[in-house]
């Protein structure tokens, strides 16, 4: 605690100017409070009701920090944290109304969306979607309005047939994510999945395909 | 009256499209991206990242000092061969830490072209082993950087210790015609292989 106190004073004298550090201060204020409260609860089971709202956030914050070693917010925040644990006594003696600090913007907090969050965590596709499997958008007249941005991109992209790999590249998502999104789009009737001639399953068709590719290459 | 002039914006018949896939493999800096790009009708969709300090000590750049980027994920190009036939060329991920993607790459592929850089032949061993293990037909293209073939092709074959039946061709990855010929050689070889393995059981194509 004494260490924390000393960092606090050092911080307060040097760093409290500038809009960015103000924001960081505000951010640190809440998280510091929440952490304090969680720590307090371990010691004293009877706590006020506000703790319940603070709890999920305080659990979320540390878990996301290791994923972003380069994020500038977190290292700074650690310093602030220590400083605000220093203020702990003051806060607990006379609870300041925690000013509604605007939650950090999505970009600031996470930096990116984890890929499979787009698919709701699902990893399985309902269709055999190879890298080269072609997808084309169905007749737009009978389509419901797609409610997911990715589906709109897929529909736009596949007006001329596009491969799974191309769709993944356009969406800038990993292949597995693209497969689930395409599968969903096909289930909803937005797109058609063309049949892929897989080598082992239909050897004769595979040979015919090779013949066609060969003559096609020669014509190039 | 109410239907006069109304035409449903639907195609007469849903067109069936077919696609095929050829894998382009080779070591780091062997020219895979150039090879794909020389024949692709689209700018190859690549996930290339500038090679930074992060790759120092991981990617060996001693033999290709001028190379400033490396493919960190697969890149691929598209060649429309017919109205309803599209060929995709997939470059393999340049580093062995991306091996997990190779199963996707080889499944259903016609075959593979292994681009060999004679300055670092050993880089070709891993892809060759992989394709032999999976039974995927492959040929070796010795990329002649700057148009100069540094070694006799027979020496290269011996150094790679590949069977005499496997085509070994020289190619210039920058030249569309050279790339095209290499691909033709590959598909021809794949068809020969197919006939050798299954020919007896398969019915002859009509015509």
């Amino acid at each position: 605690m004494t260490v924390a106190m000393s960092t606090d004073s050092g911080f307060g004298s040097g760093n409290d100017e500038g809009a960015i550090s103000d924001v960081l201060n505000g951010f640190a204020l809440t998280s510091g409070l929440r952490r304090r409260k969680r720590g307090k609860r371990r010691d004293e089971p009877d706590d006020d009701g506000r703790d319940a709202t603070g709890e999920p956030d305080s659990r979320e914050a540390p878990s996301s920090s290791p994923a972003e070693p380069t994020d500038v917010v977190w290292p700074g925040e650690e310093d602030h944290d220590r400083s605000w644990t220093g203020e702990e006594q003051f806060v607990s003696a006379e609870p300041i109304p925690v000013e509604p600090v605007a939650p950090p913007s999505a970009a600031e907090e996470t930096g990116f969306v984890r890929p499979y969050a787009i698919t709701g965590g699902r990893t399985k596709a309902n269709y055999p979607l190879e890298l080269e499997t072609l997808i084309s958008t169905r007749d737009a007249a009978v389509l419901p309005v797609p409610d997911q941005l990715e589906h709109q991109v897929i529909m736009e992209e596949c007006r001329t047939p596009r491969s799974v790999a191309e769709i993944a590249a356009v969406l800038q998502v990993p292949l597995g994510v693209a497969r689930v999104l395409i599968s969903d789009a096909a289930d909803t009737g937005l797109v058609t999945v063309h049949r892929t001639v897989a080598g082992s399953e239909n050897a004769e068709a595979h040979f015919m395909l090779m013949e066609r590719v060969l003559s096609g290459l020669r014509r190039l | 009256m109410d239907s006069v002039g109304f035409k449903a914006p639907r195609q007469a018949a849903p067109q069936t499209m077919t696609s095929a896939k050829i894998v382009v493999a080779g070591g780091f800096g062997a020219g895979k991206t150039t090879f794909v790009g020389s024949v692709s009708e689209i700018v190859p969709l690549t996930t290339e990242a500038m090679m930074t300090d992060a790759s120092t000590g991981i990617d060996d750049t001693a033999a290709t000092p001028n190379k400033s980027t490396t493919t960190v994920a697969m890149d691929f190009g598209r060649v429309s061969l017919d109205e309803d036939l599209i060929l995709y060329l997939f470059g393999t991920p340049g580093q062995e830490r991306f091996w997990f993607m190779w199963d996707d790459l080889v499944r259903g592929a016609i075959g593979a072209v292994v681009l060999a850089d004679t300055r670092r032949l050993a880089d070709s061993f891993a892809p060759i082993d992989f394709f032999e293990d999976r039974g995927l037909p492959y040929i070796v293209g010795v990329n002649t950087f700057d148009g100069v073939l540094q070694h006799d092709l027979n020496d290269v074959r011996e150094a790679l210790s590949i069977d005499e039946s496997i085509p070994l061709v020289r190619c210039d990855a920058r030249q569309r015609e050279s790339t095209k010929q290499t691909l033709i050689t590959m598909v021809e070889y794949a068809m020969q292989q197919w006939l050798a393995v299954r020919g007896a059981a398969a019915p002859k194509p009509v015509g």
Side-chain angles (χ1 to χ4, degrees):
Chain A
M1 189 56 77
T2 45
V3 178
M5 288 293 276
S6 64
T7 43
D8 174 39
S9 57
F11 165 75
S13 59
N15 235 8
D16 56 349
E17 288 174 12
I20 294 175
S21 61
D22 281 345
V23 172
L24 292 178
N25 276 339
F27 184 31
L29 172 64
T30 39
S31 53
L33 277 175
R34 283 163 184 165
R35 272 177 211 167
R36 181 189 60 78
K37 278 181 180 167
R38 190 168 62 158
K40 193 177 165 188
R41 181 150 77 171
R42 280 194 212 109
D43 304 330
E44 311 163 26
D46 52 333
D47 212 332
D48 55 19
R50 265 186 298 170
D51 209 42
T53 53
E55 181 74 11
D57 279 345
S58 62
R59 211 188 305 128
E60 185 183 68
S63 73
S64 62
S65 61
E68 307 150 340
T70 55
D71 199 325
V72 288
V73 174
W74 290 106
E77 201 241 346
E78 277 171 16
D79 289 340
H80 295 275
D81 250 353
R82 267 186 271 132
S83 71
W84 279 102
T85 19
E87 292 265 42
E88 199 170 32
Q89 269 96 3
F90 172 67
V91 172
S92 56
E94 188 184 317
I96 330 170
V98 180
E99 52 183 279
V101 178
S105 69
E108 194 182 356
E109 189 167 47
T110 60
F112 69 98
V113 177
R114 295 197 176 280
Y116 280 93
I118 309 171
T119 68
R122 292 167 303 132
T123 58
K124 291 269 162 59
N126 296 330
Y127 301 82
L129 295 172
E130 301 295 342
L131 288 169
E132 75 276 22
T133 299
L134 290 170
I135 313 295
S136 53
T137 306
R138 280 197 180 178
D139 182 357
V142 296
L143 294 182
V145 177
D147 55 356
Q148 196 172 357
L149 176 67
E150 285 80 10
H151 286 168
Q152 291 179 13
V153 175
I154 291 172
M155 286 183 66
E156 201 57 46
E157 192 65 20
C158 296
R159 303 224 176 269
T160 53
R162 289 285 177 263
S163 62
V164 171
E166 282 168 295
I167 294 166
V170 167
L171 289 174
Q172 297 186 314
V173 295
L175 198 65
V177 175
R179 282 190 171 123
V180 176
L181 292 170
I182 294 166
S183 174
D184 287 350
D187 279 340
T188 328
L190 302 178
V191 296
T192 307
V193 177
H194 293 271
R195 216 165 57 83
T196 310
V197 180
S200 52
E201 282 165 28
N202 190 342
E204 200 182 328
H206 189 71
F207 190 78
M208 299 298 217
L209 181 65
M210 287 194 285
E211 280 186 324
R212 289 201 63 199
V213 169
L214 184 60
S215 56
L217 282 170
R218 284 181 172 143
R219 278 197 307 270
L220 272 184
Chain B
M1 190 64 183
D2 54 339
S3 65
V4 168
F6 175 77
K7 275 202 169 169
R10 87 172 43 227
Q11 295 171 341
Q15 199 184 14
T16 316
M17 297 290 298
T18 313
S19 54
K21 167 172 68 179
I22 290 175
V23 180
V24 182
F28 171 74
K32 299 183 294 286
T33 307
T34 312
F35 184 91
V36 171
S38 68
V39 75
S40 173
E41 68 201 25
I42 55 169
V43 175
L45 293 167
T46 60
T47 320
E48 283 203 333
M50 291 301 290
M51 215 165 53
T52 61
D53 293 341
S55 103
T56 308
I58 298 170
D59 297 321
D60 176 16
T61 56
T64 52
N66 295 326
K67 187 166 169 56
S68 60
T69 66
T70 184
T71 309
V72 295
M74 64 179 185
D75 51 12
F76 58 96
R78 183 179 68 207
V79 190
S80 292
L81 297 178
D82 211 337
E83 278 182 3
D84 62 340
L85 178 63
I86 301 177
L87 173 68
Y88 286 97
L89 300 175
F90 286 95
T92 57
Q95 293 98 332
E96 291 183 15
R97 58 182 182 272
F98 291 105
W99 274 104
F100 65 92
M101 296 180 81
W102 284 53
D103 283 325
D104 272 338
L105 283 167
V106 301
R107 200 185 312 117
I110 290 177
V113 175
V114 178
L115 287 179
D117 179 353
T118 52
R119 292 171 295 186
R120 285 182 305 177
L121 268 189
D123 286 354
S124 311
F125 293 160
I128 286 175
D129 283 348
F130 186 85
F131 297 140
E132 286 190 343
D133 180 59
R134 298 303 166 96
L136 186 74
Y138 70 92
I139 70 166
V140 177
V142 178
N143 199 356
T144 55
F145 294 92
D146 306 320
V148 181
L149 187 61
Q150 307 273 6
H151 301 83
D152 185 74
L153 282 183
N154 285 327
D155 293 344
V156 175
R157 181 186 294 279
E158 197 174 327
L160 289 173
S161 65
I162 55 171
D163 195 86
E164 291 233 338
S165 64
I166 292 168
L168 185 83
V169 298
R170 58 179 290 179
C171 71
D172 186 338
R174 297 165 302 180
Q175 303 293 327
R176 176 183 165 89
E177 197 58 31
S178 169
T179 301
K180 193 183 119 181
Q181 282 307 323
T182 307
L183 291 173
I184 288 173
T185 307
M186 205 287 297
V187 179
E188 283 174 343
Y189 174 69
M191 291 171 74
Q192 283 172 24
Q193 285 294 106
W194 191 93
L195 286 174
V197 174
R198 289 174 252 234
K204 279 203 164 183
V206 181

